[in-house]
Amino acid sequence: MTIKELFSSLHLGPLDHSGDQAGTLAVTSPIDGSLIGHVKMDSPQSVAEKVGKAVEAFAIWRQMPGPQRGELVRLLGEELRAHKDALGRLVSVENGKILEEGKGEVQEMIDICDFAVGLSRQLYGLTIASERPGHAMRENWQPLGPVGVISAFNFPVAVWSWNTALALVCGDPVLWKPSEKTPFTALACQALFLRAAAKFGAAPDGLSQIVIGAADIGEALVDDPRVPLISATGSCAMGRKVAPRVASRFGRCLLELGGNNAIIVAPSADLDLAVRAIVFGAVGTAGQRCTSTRRLIIHRSIYDDLMPRLKAAFERVTVGNPLEGALVGPLIDEAALNAMDKALERARAEGGVVEGGGRVLADRYPDAFYARPAIVEMPAQKGVMMDETFAPILYAVKYDDFDAAIALQNAVSQGLSSALFSNDVREAELYLSATGSDCGIANINIGTSGAEIGGAFGGEKETGGGRESGSDAWRVYMRRQTSTVNYSTQLPLAQGISFEL
Ligand code: NAD
């Protein structure tokens, strides 16, 4: 199916963008390097205008009752259901992930819409016992204002929906700056949103808007004091720039940054399960998930059993065109391939033994960048293992003592996802205790990637501390207000303070 046919199967017409012609962005497919099309870019000035529109939309949308806001999100979910295959395919074409994962990403969008519809009737506050007679205290949750969403290339559509479905039911408009590597999927989402909004009939203009461009356009959003919340997903380097800028204007940040995720494999582990989970975690999405498995910490007693099985599985993995049934698609661009090559070179220099890696399919796809996944046996956890390389590289080290394994796992600067394979209940509970994994996600007998939307998603340390998606992540999109009502004829002061005039 050509891109044109794909667009028309989404019934989107020619995908256009109302940037102010500050320039155009040429977008290519990582599958074969072919040109998908050009998109007009925004300028700081057009971003400011769009923020103004979002502010106007907020004044209307915040007055709409939550369950009615939920109805718009229900309609958005319906559009996504109807176009799951075509949008999933567009994700694969623009981002390079395999079709199965492209469609899985759209399913995630549908799931979060369902979640948000239910949530629209459950934006609960508390009633709180007041210490003063004749007083009632409670907590109200109010809409916050326009939310700026900055997203990464690797989940080009799901991250928008995690934020937008919740923001909309919470009463907030959204301004989305997608990755400059994946603007067409963003325009497709916006077109589906506009169709849902037309069916809904009462959505104000400017409730959902897109801004297109690179870091400078992201910064225009980040610096605008009319945007009280910036939800930014991407590298730790990006978060390091964004967070202080937002803090300097006392804005709120929801940061979803890099990961360096480990799996500990203990002596009692079910190795069949472990192999499947490790391989999916390490090579799935060509190692380009924030939750990809990058480090393995294996008990010495099972190391020689597990490693050959993993190496055999790595060899069986098919690398190729993600639309034609391969399990591993291309890396996003040449810079990603160079970063992978460099990391493997460094691993060798640090005493690692590398199997796999290296560019493949260069003859068939000279303008695309496919690599064989690599598995690297390291003498110790050090150097290159401490960084996130956004590519399918899995490092393995041995451990003897369970506490030392947890310490190794926690020794990196990121704290996103983690997993333990063990059938020992003491180990499992210790891993999930205060002295266990320090990550936002800690799993037992499943891998590090592939989270469900029902839980709060995010991580600690340099991963940024943000939580989005399920559980009570909605609260960051709202303004908490504590209110006390005096229904007595007296005016007692808190803490029993006497202040007689
Ligand atoms: P990136 O940091 O290069 O870009 C992410 C987004 O930030 C893009 O839209 C980019 O234009 C924007 N950006 C960059 N600099 C900016 C600035 N100074 N101000 C405002 N915006 C700016 O990341 P990427 O290569 O697209 O994605 C890969 C990274 O994202 C990996 O580190 C991965 O772990 C991380 N990631 C994290 C999560 C999570 O939920 N924790 C999810 C997906 C990806």
Side-chain angles (χ1 to χ4, degrees):
M1 194 186 274
T2 65
I3 282 290
K4 249 193 184 153
E5 287 165 343
L6 201 53
F7 287 173
S8 74
S9 79
L10 279 162
H11 308 291
L12 301 177
L15 284 178
D16 203 1
H17 174 65
S18 57
D20 66 353
Q21 310 242 26
T24 49
L25 194 60
V27 185
T28 55
S29 169
I31 296 176
D32 56 8
S34 62
L35 183 73
I36 299 177
H38 291 91
V39 189
K40 284 180 210 155
M41 286 204 277
D42 277 273
S43 64
Q45 196 189 340
S46 68
V47 174
E49 283 161 18
K50 288 180 182 182
V51 174
K53 269 178 90 176
V55 170
E56 285 167 24
F58 178 56
I60 298 167
W61 191 241
R62 66 183 173 181
Q63 297 180 56
M64 179 85 66
Q68 287 183 38
R69 301 193 294 245
E71 172 60 10
L72 171 60
V73 175
R74 190 188 69 76
L75 290 167
L76 176 61
E78 293 293 295
E79 293 297 329
L80 291 166
R81 272 190 179 83
H83 299 97
K84 178 177 167 181
D85 284 358
L87 184 58
R89 203 175 174 85
L90 184 58
V91 167
S92 292
V93 168
E94 198 177 35
N95 152 295
K97 65 176 66 177
I98 63 172
L99 208 45
E100 203 46 35
E101 293 187 58
K103 286 188 214 163
E105 194 173 334
V106 182
Q107 184 58 47
E108 228 175 309
M109 303 173 82
I110 296 166
D111 294 344
I112 194 71
C113 286
D114 286 353
F115 180 92
V117 174
L119 178 67
S120 69
R121 292 179 183 270
Q122 299 175 78
L123 300 168
Y124 298 142
L126 295 173
T127 55
I128 301 165
S130 170
E131 67 192 42
R132 288 172 279 187
H135 284 56
M137 197 174 5
R138 66 174 194 244
E139 202 168 68
N140 305 314
W141 290 90
Q142 311 288 8
L144 183 67
V147 176
V149 176
I150 295 172
S151 61
F153 79 85
N154 67 322
F155 274 89
V157 291
V159 168
W160 170 70
S161 68
W162 291 0
N163 283 283
T164 300
L166 263 53
L168 288 176
V169 300
C170 289
D172 303 333
V174 173
L175 294 131
W176 178 20
K177 195 207 87 61
S179 165
E180 55 274 38
K181 296 172 186 171
T182 54
F184 277 107
T185 45
L187 296 183
C189 291
Q190 174 70 357
L192 294 175
F193 171 83
L194 290 176
R195 195 169 314 157
K199 286 184 184 158
F200 181 68
D205 268 3
L207 189 56
S208 166
Q209 298 176 84
I210 308 257
V211 299
I212 301 279
D216 57 328
I217 292 307
E219 282 171 5
L221 209 51
V222 161
D223 290 340
D224 198 312
R226 297 170 295 173
V227 182
L229 171 64
I230 295 289
S231 172
T233 298
S235 57
C236 297
M238 179 273 283
R240 207 166 269 121
K241 287 186 190 140
V242 164
R245 293 177 86 120
V246 178
S248 74
R249 62 171 176 87
F250 299 101
R252 193 183 289 179
C253 249
L254 190 175
L255 295 175
E256 296 281 354
L257 309 175
N260 189 357
N261 317 295
I263 294 182
I264 299 174
V265 190
S268 64
D270 178 333
L271 293 189
D272 290 336
L273 284 192
V275 167
R276 283 165 52 198
I278 292 164
V279 175
F280 175 70
V283 313
T285 330
Q288 298 174 117
R289 284 193 188 213
C290 50
T291 51
S292 289
T293 308
R294 311 209 177 274
R295 297 177 294 137
L296 269 188
I297 302 164
I298 308 170
H299 193 267
R300 189 178 298 278
S301 64
I302 52 166
Y303 189 90
D304 291 337
D305 187 4
L306 180 59
M307 280 310 280
R309 292 166 71 168
L310 282 175
K311 287 179 185 172
F314 264 56
E315 269 172 29
R316 279 201 307 277
V317 163
T318 48
V319 179
N321 190 317
L323 303 175
E324 293 174 0
L327 287 177
V328 176
L331 292 169
I332 188 72
D333 55 21
E334 189 170 15
L337 179 72
N338 290 341
M340 180 174 180
D341 288 345
K342 241 185 166 168
L344 293 178
E345 227 171 79
R346 187 170 163 207
R348 284 192 190 93
E350 289 170 353
V353 178
V354 178
E355 285 208 15
R359 187 175 183 189
V360 293
L361 299 171
D363 289 350
R364 185 170 169 202
Y365 301 113
D367 298 320
F369 304 94
Y370 291 80
R372 278 234 56 93
I375 187 160
V376 184
E377 295 184 79
M378 292 292 284
Q381 175 169 285
K382 59 179 180 175
V384 70
M385 259 184 103
M386 308 305 281
D387 298 331
E388 177 194 54
T389 301
F390 219 52
I393 303 176
L394 180 65
Y395 302 101
V397 291
K398 294 176 191 155
Y399 82 89
D400 293 300
D401 168 69
F402 190 61
D403 288 336
I406 293 176
L408 275 178
Q409 182 207 280
N410 293 345
V412 296
S413 55
Q414 308 87 344
L416 180 52
S417 188
S418 61
L420 165 68
F421 277 79
S422 172
N423 283 324
D424 179 332
V425 72
R426 286 184 179 147
E427 283 180 344
E429 288 294 338
L430 178 63
Y431 188 74
L432 302 181
S433 76
T435 56
S437 170
D438 66 358
C439 294
I441 298 167
N443 294 332
I444 306 293
N445 293 335
I446 65 165
T448 56
S449 67
E452 298 177 24
I453 60 93
F457 182 90
E460 302 301 331
K461 302 190 289 186
E462 290 187 10
T463 302
R467 293 294 186 279
E468 58 191 15
S469 195
S471 184
D472 65 352
W474 60 271
R475 291 175 183 217
V476 76
Y477 303 90
M478 299 200 86
R479 178 165 62 81
R480 185 196 304 246
Q481 181 180 66
T482 303
S483 64
T484 308
V485 176
N486 177 5
Y487 58 91
S488 75
T489 54
Q490 307 299 310
L491 194 68
L493 298 178
Q495 294 85 45
I497 289 172
S498 161
F499 193 81
E500 294 300 331
L501 292 174

